[in-house]
Amino acid sequence: MRLRTRAREPQLRDRLVWQAASLLLAYPDEQRDARLDTVERLLAHLDGTVAELLGRTTAALRATDVLTAAAEYVETFDMRRRSTMYLTYWTAGDTRNRGREMLAFASAYRDAGVEPPKNEAPDHLPVVLEFAATVDPEAGRRLLSEHRVPIDVLLRALRDAHSPYEHVIAAVCETLPPVTDQDVRRAHRLAQQGPPAEAVGLQPFTLTVPPKRTDGM
């Protein structure tokens, strides 16, 4: 992606935000500091609200050692249903519907000429953000916009938890259409009811954002 001194064009700005957000939302493994270095280089081409928000999350992660960050990541995104980053978890009421919705993500990736990642579900927010940033911005924006309500629910959950990841999700929201009153009501209803209890995955593009490790650090 060719960068200018500052990303003045909205689409370029959004792609930089999406790439930085994808890296910041990755599971903190031994490559965490290298990803933060990349985010800081991206921030040099951003300004305004999005730069300030992404910078706050970056600074918070820099101030936390990797082992602590990994434990906090699991506590935030795996142990609290409201802060799941699997977008279809909020929008499908049963396993069949959720599988169909995840297939829509996988189909969007294949239509853009890439395969879905093999080690992560196609609806995982960091995956969608990286796809939007590096493969097909328009298709990626559509997927993000169609799931604006789940992203807003995630933002509210992170704010309630005083999580440093709140700021990166807020930056992503800056790139999407504003929520409507209907969206607000729907987000509130989802937050109250919680996502579906069922969990379905598809076996899914070679991804720079690593999947979360399950064997510990």
Side-chain angles (χ1 to χ4, degrees):
M1 187 190 310
R2 188 166 65 97
L3 302 180
R4 300 183 179 182
T5 302
R6 292 287 178 182
R8 301 295 185 185
E9 297 179 6
Q11 185 182 88
L12 176 57
R13 183 209 68 159
D14 293 351
R15 292 178 70 182
L16 293 173
V17 171
W18 296 335
Q19 181 66 86
S22 179
L23 295 169
L24 290 171
L25 292 170
Y27 176 74
D29 60 7
E30 63 275 6
Q31 298 301 313
R32 191 276 307 263
D33 289 345
R35 289 194 296 273
L36 293 180
D37 291 342
T38 301
V39 170
E40 289 173 346
R41 289 194 293 272
L42 294 172
L43 289 179
H45 301 277
L46 292 166
D47 54 20
T49 300
V50 292
E52 190 271 336
L53 290 167
L54 294 168
R56 291 179 69 178
T57 301
T58 303
L61 292 178
R62 281 285 192 205
T64 308
D65 67 86
V66 173
L67 287 175
T68 300
E72 291 177 350
Y73 185 98
V74 170
E75 173 67 22
T76 298
F77 295 114
D78 292 355
M79 306 304 291
R80 300 170 183 160
R81 293 196 307 166
R82 282 184 61 204
S83 53
T84 180
M85 287 196 288
Y86 293 98
L87 298 178
T88 65
Y89 196 52
W90 292 99
T91 57
D94 58 51
T95 56
R96 181 178 302 173
N97 286 344
R98 189 168 178 226
R100 186 182 305 117
E101 290 193 15
M102 283 201 289
L103 182 59
F105 282 85
S107 296
Y109 300 157
R110 292 191 177 100
D111 288 345
V114 296
E115 285 297 313
K118 297 183 183 302
N119 298 316
E120 187 54 271
D123 65 329
H124 196 231
L125 182 57
V127 174
V128 185
L129 289 166
E130 182 159 324
F131 171 76
T134 64
V135 179
D136 190 329
E138 293 310 311
R141 186 187 301 279
R142 174 178 55 79
L143 290 171
L144 291 167
S145 297
E146 288 175 351
H147 293 81
R148 182 67 172 83
V149 170
I151 293 171
D152 192 57
V153 173
L154 172 60
L155 175 60
R156 290 164 180 255
L158 295 174
R159 282 179 175 164
D160 289 346
H162 305 289
S163 169
Y165 291 105
E166 163 199 344
H167 312 299
V168 64
I169 301 300
V172 171
C173 290
E174 289 286 321
T175 70
L176 302 177
V179 292
T180 65
D181 290 343
Q182 181 179 5
D183 290 336
V184 171
R185 290 192 296 271
R186 185 178 171 203
H188 179 74
R189 184 170 62 253
L190 282 173
Q192 293 297 314
Q193 296 175 350
E198 299 89 345
V200 159
L202 296 180
Q203 285 302 319
F205 66 90
T206 300
L207 197 65
T208 62
V209 173
K212 182 172 76 275
R213 283 165 49 177
T214 57
D215 58 349
M217 292 293 298

